Amino acid sequence: MSDDNTIAILDYGSQYSQVIARRVREAHVYCELFPWNAPVEQIMALKPKGFILTGGPNSVYSPDAPTLPAYVLDSGLPVLGICYGMQLLTLHFGGIVAPGTEREYGAADVVIDSVNPLFQIGHQKVWMSHGDRLEQLPPDFVTLGHSANSPYAFIRHQQKPYFGVQFHPEVNHTENGRAFLHAFVQEVCQASPTWTAQSIIEQAVERIREQVGSAKILSAVSGGVDSSVATALVHRAVGSQLSAIFVDTGMLRHNERQLVETAFRQNMGIDLFVEDGEEAFLTLLRGVTEPEAKRRVIGETFIRLFEYHARTLDNPEFLVQGTIYPDVVESAAPDRQQAARIKSHHNVGGLPKDMQFKLVEPLRYLFKDEVRAVGEALGLPPELVWRQPFPGPGLAVRCLGEITKQRLDVLRAADHIFTSALAEHGLMKNKTEDGVAQAFAVLLPVKSVGVMGDERTYEEVLALRAVQTDDFMTADWVDLPHDFLAMVANRIVNTVRGINRVVYDITSKPPGTIEWE
Ligand code: XMP
C-alpha cells in the first residue's frame, strides 16, 4: 500500500519500533517499518518523503553494529534519528558516541532553548532509555535541547533537515511526543494527512479486485474484529463472489451468534452461512479435559466442517485471512521470531494441506486501531468493532475440566454479567486509555461448600480475570474497585445457578498467561 505520502522507518531493533509506526499513522500519514538492511529498491519503491531511524540495543562501535545505509542521506530527504538512530546519524558526520557514565532510564526533563519545528521552547517531559550517548556534536550540528544527563538530547543539522533525539518521542511518557512526531512527518517531511479510513478502503478495494479478478473467495468469520473487517472489505470489493461462513461451536459468548448474524446480514448485506456445530463439537469433546487435547479436537472439527463447505462451494480459489501488520512485522524480523512463535500456537489448527488456497489479506498493512476505524467506516456495529480478543477455541479455554452444555451455559451467563458491568461502568479500554483491555470469567472444576438461605450448597468456583495490556504479550492485572467486584460477585452468585464462590485473579503475565486453559 502506498499513496505517495509515506515515511520509511528503518528498524534497528528497538522495543518501540512499532509504536513509532503507529504514531506516524495517527498523523494520517502512511509509513512502513523495514529491517534497517532491507534492499534499497524495496524501500525507495514506497517513494518516501522522509526517514525515521529507530533506537536499538547495539552500540555503534561494536564490530557487527547495524549501519546507516548510504541511500538515506543520498536521497536528500528529511531524517529523524531516535536514540541509536541519532547516534548513527551523528557518527556519520564526525560526532563521538561514548558509553554514558550511567544508564539513563525513565522520565527526564529536557530544556528546549532554540526555536525549532518540533518542540516548543521550555521544559519538556520525555522518556529516556539508553546506555551510550552522544559525547561530542559533529561540526555541522547544533543543540536544540539538553537534559541533566544528556547534553545533546535534541539536535539538528544546521542546513539540512536532519534531526536527532536521545529520548523516545514515541513513548506515551514523553508528554508532547505525539505532536513532535506529527510535526516531523507533516511539517518537516511535508507528508499530507491522506491516510484515512476512507482512503484505506478505496485502496484495499482496488487491490482486492486486481488480485482476485472474477474468482470465488471463501471467508471463515470468527466473530473477532479482524476476520469481520477483512470479510466486509472483500465483500465491498467483489460482492457475491464472496461466501462467508460462521461456525457456531456452542462455545461462543452470550449473544455472539446473533450479533455476528445481524452485523453481516442486516448491516452489511452479506449472505453469511451459519453452520450449527454445537452438537458435533460437544460430542467430540466429551470426556476431554487436557487443554492441548481440547484445542486439537476443536481444530480438527473446524477443519472438517470447513472442508465440507469448501466442497459444496465448488472449491473457491481464494481464502480471506485477517492477518494484520504487527504479525507481518514480527515474522519479517528474525530477532522478533520469538514473539511470532508465541502467537502461532494460538491458531485453531491450521487449514488442510490439500486445500491450495491463495490468500487474500486486506489488513496486512494495518494496525489494530486502523482495522477498527475501517470497520466503523464500512458500517460494522460498534459492539463488533470494539470486541475484545476471543480465542479461536472459544469458551473451551475458559471452561476448565470437562466441557458440557450445562457448564458452558453457567460460564456464559457469569461472563456476561461481568463484562456488561465493566462496560456499564465505563471501565473498558475503549472508554479510557488505561482501562481494561480484556476481561472474562473462568469456570473452575473445583467445588466448595457455601450457604444460601438456610441451605448448604456444594457448587463450582468462578474466577474473574481483567487485564491491562497494549500488545497481549505482557499484561498486568487490573485493580478494579472493590465495591464493583463485590457487586459483580454478588450478582453472579445470586443469579447463576451452579456457582457459589467467586475469586479474582491477581496474576500478571508473565508469569501467568491471560487465558487459564
Ligand atoms: P495468553 O493466554 O497466551 O493469550 O496470554 C494472549 C492473548 O491471545 C488470546 N488467545 C488467542 N487468540 N486464538 C486467538 O486468536 C487462540 O487460540 C488464542 N488463545 C489465546 C488471548 O485471549 C489473549 O488475548
Side-chain angles (χ1 to χ4, degrees):
M1 285 213 185
S2 154
D3 62 359
D4 290 351
N5 248 319
T6 68
I7 301 292
I9 303 172
L10 299 195
D11 185 2
Y12 288 94
S14 165
Q15 56 177 319
Y16 303 128
S17 298
Q18 286 195 39
V19 187
I20 301 174
R22 284 180 55 188
R23 294 287 170 264
V24 174
R25 300 270 189 99
E26 281 166 12
H28 300 294
V29 170
Y30 183 69
C31 64
E32 271 184 45
L33 198 54
F34 297 95
W36 67 272
N37 52 0
V40 51
E41 308 75 43
Q42 194 189 343
I43 294 164
M44 297 314 276
L46 198 67
K47 300 201 208 112
K49 292 209 154 170
F51 290 93
I52 298 179
L53 317 174
T54 77
N58 291 283
S59 170
V60 285
Y61 293 121
S62 57
D64 48 1
T67 54
L68 178 62
Y71 68 84
V72 173
L73 298 182
D74 290 349
S75 72
L77 294 166
V79 180
L80 169 65
I82 298 176
C83 203
Y84 184 82
M86 152 166 144
Q87 292 163 10
L88 275 184
L89 189 64
T90 48
L91 193 69
H92 174 89
F93 286 97
I96 297 175
V97 175
T101 40
E102 49 188 281
R103 266 187 67 83
E104 194 179 9
Y105 181 81
D109 184 59
V110 168
V111 182
I112 308 294
D113 43 23
S114 291
V115 174
N116 69 86
L118 304 180
F119 245 179
Q120 285 193 350
I121 299 270
H123 289 257
Q124 295 282 355
K125 280 228 167 334
V126 304
W127 188 254
M128 292 282 188
S129 174
H130 64 101
D132 293 3
R133 67 173 198 191
L134 186 60
E135 212 50 52
Q136 192 182 312
L137 204 61
D140 296 331
F141 278 73
V142 287
T143 311
L144 303 172
H146 57 87
S147 73
N149 237 316
S150 295
Y152 308 112
F154 179 26
I155 59 167
R156 74 162 294 172
H157 192 283
Q158 291 188 59
Q159 286 90 36
K160 301 191 172 169
Y162 301 156
F163 293 83
V165 280
Q166 185 61 76
F167 58 89
H168 289 272
E170 68 277 21
V171 174
N172 264 336
H173 308 286
T174 296
E175 259 173 25
N176 297 310
R178 270 193 175 77
F180 181 98
L181 286 169
H182 292 187
F184 176 72
V185 299
Q186 293 185 343
E187 280 159 46
V188 177
C189 301
Q190 296 278 302
S192 316
T194 51
W195 185 247
T196 59
Q198 217 43 54
S199 73
I200 298 174
I201 294 171
E202 280 161 25
Q203 287 187 45
V205 162
E206 206 174 299
R207 281 163 58 104
I208 295 164
R209 286 185 183 150
E210 217 168 89
Q211 187 190 358
V212 305
S214 57
K216 282 202 177 343
I217 308 168
L218 180 63
S219 182
V221 175
S222 71
V225 188
D226 301 341
S227 74
S228 298
V229 176
T231 305
L233 256 179
V234 174
H235 184 259
R236 169 72 64 97
V238 299
S240 60
Q241 280 167 248
L242 172 83
S243 303
I245 295 171
F246 174 64
V247 179
D248 180 352
T249 59
M251 295 176 289
L252 301 172
R253 288 167 287 188
H254 176 80
N255 251 346
E256 188 148 27
R257 176 173 171 165
Q258 290 83 334
L259 174 72
V260 174
E261 279 181 334
T262 311
F264 278 82
R265 292 197 182 137
Q266 287 176 20
N267 294 48
M268 312 297 307
I270 298 178
D271 184 19
L272 183 74
F273 182 87
V274 181
E275 169 73 32
D276 208 336
E278 182 176 36
E279 211 183 309
F281 279 96
L282 294 191
T283 308
L284 291 163
L285 280 167
R286 199 170 289 152
V288 183
T289 55
E290 202 275 320
E292 285 300 307
K294 280 183 189 171
R295 277 185 181 267
R296 269 196 304 279
V297 171
I298 294 167
E300 279 166 23
T301 313
F302 259 118
I303 289 170
R304 231 171 288 140
L305 291 170
F306 201 70
E307 258 179 329
Y308 173 76
H309 278 290
R311 256 182 262 123
T312 64
L313 291 167
D314 233 5
N315 289 321
E317 191 177 332
F318 290 93
L319 180 75
V320 180
Q321 290 248 300
T323 318
I324 67 171
Y325 195 47
D327 305 332
V328 177
V329 173
E330 302 293 355
S331 45
D335 52 341
R336 298 185 190 279
Q337 291 283 318
Q338 173 83 18
R341 256 202 308 277
I342 295 171
K343 279 190 193 159
S344 67
H345 89 275
H346 285 158
N347 293 335
V348 172
L351 291 163
K353 301 262 179 305
D354 55 349
M355 270 195 192
Q356 301 287 332
F357 287 116
K358 292 179 202 150
L359 297 182
V360 182
E361 298 178 301
L363 313 179
R364 218 181 139 70
Y365 293 96
L366 304 188
F367 284 109
K368 196 83 172 183
D369 39 352
E370 294 170 324
V371 172
R372 292 199 157 115
V374 167
E376 284 188 329
L378 285 169
L380 286 168
E383 311 89 85
L384 192 63
V385 167
W386 290 99
R387 228 156 164 60
Q388 297 180 25
F390 187 54
L395 292 181
V397 299
R398 299 175 184 170
C399 187
L400 277 57
E402 185 164 8
I403 296 173
T404 62
K405 170 130 177 66
Q406 183 268 336
R407 293 189 75 228
L408 286 169
D409 286 342
V410 166
L411 173 60
R412 201 168 4 242
D415 184 72
H416 178 58
I417 291 173
F418 181 39
T419 49
S420 44
L422 283 166
E424 274 161 27
H425 286 71
L427 292 165
M428 295 304 295
K429 192 164 180 157
N430 50 353
K431 294 276 190 240
T432 60
E433 177 72 11
D434 58 353
V436 174
Q438 192 173 9
F440 50 85
V442 186
L443 186 63
L444 308 184
V446 176
K447 285 191 166 184
S448 76
V449 172
V451 56
M452 279 189 92
D454 291 330
E455 270 183 48
R456 176 187 188 275
T457 58
Y458 186 53
E459 308 279 18
E460 287 188 322
V461 180
L462 186 90
L464 301 179
R465 179 89 164 126
V467 295
Q468 235 164 14
T469 176
D470 280 328
D471 56 9
F472 297 89
M473 298 283 180
T474 61
D476 287 325
W477 63 278
V478 182
D479 194 1
L480 289 172
H482 293 186
D483 51 354
F484 172 82
L485 284 171
M487 179 274 291
V488 170
N490 219 349
R491 211 182 270 178
I492 290 173
V493 172
N494 282 323
T495 55
V496 184
R497 301 263 327 247
I499 296 167
N500 66 353
R501 193 178 296 271
V502 175
V503 296
Y504 188 59
D505 184 355
I506 55 164
T507 321
S508 289
K509 173 185 179 177
T513 51
I514 297 177
E515 303 289 348
W516 282 44
E517 308 222 6

